[in-house]
Amino acid sequence: AVPFVRASAVSSRRGALAGALGARRHLSLHEYQSLALFQDFGVAVPKIAVAHSVSEATEIAKGFPGDEVVIKTQVLAGGRGLGHFRENNFQGGVHIIKKDKASEFAEKMLGKTLITKQTGAAGKPCNVVMFAEKFEIKTEKYFAILMDRGSGGPIMIGSKTGGTSIEDIAEKDPSAIVKLPIDIMEGISSAQSLDMAEKMGFSGAQAASAAKSIEGLYKVFIECDCTMVEINPFAELTDGRVIVCDAKVGFDDNAEFRQKAIHDKRDLSQEDPQEVEAKKFDLNYIKLSGSVACMVNGAGLAMSTMDLLALCGGSPANFLDVGGAANKETITAAFKIIQGDPDVKSIFINIFGGIMRCDVIADGVVAAVKEVGLTKPLVVRLVGTNVELGKKIIQDSGLPVFAISDFSEAAQKAVDVAK
């Protein structure tokens, strides 16, 4: 039974890491930012405006027609409508309100922390609220564009049913999902966008309107280097309009060099501070939930290290690959980040010197400890290029370090001292 439990722990750890890595491959924008971008590409969206302060909220609400307006907290997490604010326990991040109540609701949201099922107990800070026109939805559809390995290019996915999880729709009725691959070299045609709109259940003038927005969404996907564009719901309103009501958009971080205007919109307050700091030094760092911090060179060795920690009965506190181009400065930064994590109980540095020399790692670790001190047990394993020099640097430093050459023994020691 024990091997099964351990194997399950490793599988779970890999699954969690895979999800974390995938989540960090792309930039995410706030709802209001995505809708503004869509509008620039000719996509039909509701009338919106944002407020950063209570006084702004009061004035902005007056500019909407009718007696009521929708106010939505802007945090990068799902489940906002069912969330609550930590500081005042105010329920719900989305409300339909009377316009003269705008300041009252903005006061309860701005500067507070919204907790949803997706944020965990830490929550996400609300620094902006979005106002949107109130409208009545006649029908809800689902639409998305993503890259498809099978067809070797973009694929449009749609359904006549929207407003709920696409996974639930697919499970209940797989035939309800419509898929249409697009030749990435030729791009989308008017006939394809109209065909997709009709297969999603639009007809007449509404089909033409939906097709126009679909073409605009495809342009966003291609020209803005998106990893995904998801619209749910893509709605027909009682007044005859067809609009994008809510959206989830991911932008490929690898394209940041040519999408600077979009990536400048990144809201760092919504991200883990340690990951933000790591990005400044081009460190591949992902915070996890364990207690043993890892500093490793190479993603393969990092994954093996995490697996071995799990097999030894421990749990990794992070994924940290310093890469082959790291120097004393980046190693020092990496050490500061992992030691500054309050969840960390021990630190395991595991280096196989190839491109990254062991002496460079040793210099960085000694410099970091001299600068910030050593407050947690440190296990160091150095093997490979300049290993003897690296070991000498560690030994001469006089640091209270557990220097162990055997991989399994080092991992076990890191787990033991974390308990």
Side-chain angles (χ1 to χ4, degrees):
V2 174
F4 175 77
V5 172
R6 286 182 170 180
S8 297
V10 171
S11 176
S12 174
R13 208 77 63 202
R14 281 181 176 265
L17 178 63
L21 285 168
R24 285 159 180 80
R25 179 175 168 252
H26 57 81
L27 159 76
S28 291
L29 295 185
H30 285 292
E31 180 184 6
Y32 75 91
Q33 295 170 320
S34 297
L35 292 176
L37 181 65
F38 289 167
Q39 198 166 28
D40 291 342
F41 282 81
V43 178
V45 300
K47 178 182 177 181
I48 64 168
V50 297
H52 297 80
S53 67
V54 174
S55 57
E56 266 189 314
T58 303
E59 293 304 312
I60 286 172
K62 294 177 182 177
F64 283 84
D67 297 326
E68 294 181 317
V69 67
V70 181
I71 183 171
K72 305 176 80 172
T73 182
Q74 296 296 283
V75 301
L76 294 179
R80 290 173 294 168
L82 298 176
H84 70 278
F85 292 88
R86 178 196 296 152
E87 291 81 359
N88 53 17
N89 205 35
F90 179 58
Q91 297 295 310
V94 179
H95 294 271
I96 298 174
I97 62 172
K98 295 289 186 181
K99 292 197 295 186
D100 59 6
K101 296 285 187 180
S103 61
E104 178 184 330
F105 277 77
E107 175 69 35
K108 293 176 179 178
M109 295 178 172
L110 287 170
K112 310 299 190 298
T113 306
L114 183 69
I115 298 173
T116 76
K117 285 186 176 180
Q118 288 191 10
T119 66
K124 298 276 188 182
C126 173
N127 302 312
V128 184
V129 292
M130 184 185 86
F131 288 93
E133 61 174 303
K134 181 190 174 186
F135 48 76
E136 292 185 27
I137 295 175
K138 182 179 179 181
T139 61
E140 295 180 315
K141 323 291 185 184
Y142 174 90
F143 179 77
I145 308 173
L146 60 153
M147 296 302 291
D148 177 50
R149 184 170 295 180
S151 61
I155 188 169
M156 298 192 296
I157 299 174
S159 174
K160 294 180 180 180
T161 305
T164 187
S165 166
I166 189 63
E167 290 83 5
D168 292 341
I169 297 170
E171 183 178 357
K172 186 177 181 180
D173 181 12
S175 65
I177 307 299
V178 179
K179 297 180 180 180
L180 183 61
I182 302 295
D183 187 316
I184 196 169
M185 301 306 294
E186 295 183 7
I188 192 171
S189 66
S190 298
Q192 285 175 313
S193 60
L194 182 59
D195 180 41
M196 189 66 184
E198 290 174 343
K199 287 179 177 177
M200 289 167 58
F202 293 108
S203 61
Q206 281 69 39
S209 178
K212 182 180 177 182
S213 286
I214 286 172
E215 285 189 59
L217 290 168
Y218 182 82
K219 289 180 181 177
V220 171
F221 182 81
I222 296 297
E223 295 181 23
C224 298
D225 290 299
C226 296
T227 55
M228 177 189 71
V229 172
E230 183 181 45
I231 311 302
N232 193 16
F234 197 164
E236 178 184 347
L237 309 185
T238 53
D239 62 11
R241 286 183 294 161
V242 175
I243 65 171
V244 168
C245 294
D246 203 353
K248 183 184 292 185
V249 189
F251 301 87
D252 197 330
D253 280 346
N254 293 318
E256 182 175 358
F257 70 97
R258 64 184 178 201
Q259 300 292 349
K260 193 173 186 306
I262 290 174
H263 284 263
D264 282 347
K265 299 178 187 293
R266 180 174 234 128
D267 185 353
L268 298 180
S269 73
Q270 302 292 306
E271 301 181 25
D272 186 287
Q274 292 164 317
E275 292 177 12
V276 172
E277 183 65 19
K279 186 175 174 61
K280 294 177 184 177
F281 295 91
D282 290 325
L283 294 167
N284 297 312
Y285 173 86
I286 295 171
K287 171 85 168 96
L288 298 174
S289 58
S291 60
V292 182
C294 309
M295 184 193 299
V296 189
N297 65 319
L301 183 58
M303 294 292 284
S304 299
T305 301
M306 295 168 65
D307 285 350
L308 190 54
L309 288 172
L311 287 170
C312 291
S315 181
N318 62 271
F319 172 95
L320 174 55
D321 171 17
V322 297
N327 53 35
K328 187 176 178 179
E329 181 185 23
T330 54
I331 297 301
T332 301
F335 190 85
K336 287 181 180 178
I337 290 169
I338 58 179
Q339 182 165 255
D341 183 347
D343 296 328
V344 168
K345 305 303 179 187
S346 71
I347 300 171
F348 182 22
I349 297 177
N350 186 19
I351 301 298
F352 183 83
I355 298 173
M356 170 50 59
R357 306 194 320 264
C358 293
D359 58 305
V360 173
I361 293 289
D363 272 335
V365 170
V366 172
V369 171
K370 286 181 177 178
E371 186 173 337
V372 301
L374 183 61
T375 59
K376 295 164 185 180
L378 175 61
V379 179
V380 178
R381 174 182 178 258
L382 300 176
V383 178
T385 306
N386 286 2
V387 61
E388 295 304 326
L389 179 56
K391 288 180 177 179
K392 187 176 187 304
I393 292 171
I394 295 290
Q395 185 177 358
D396 292 348
S397 70
L399 298 178
V401 173
F402 297 100
I404 303 173
S405 297
D406 183 82
F407 191 0
S408 297
E409 290 180 17
Q412 188 64 62
K413 188 65 176 179
V415 171
D416 291 344
V417 296
K419 294 177 179 177

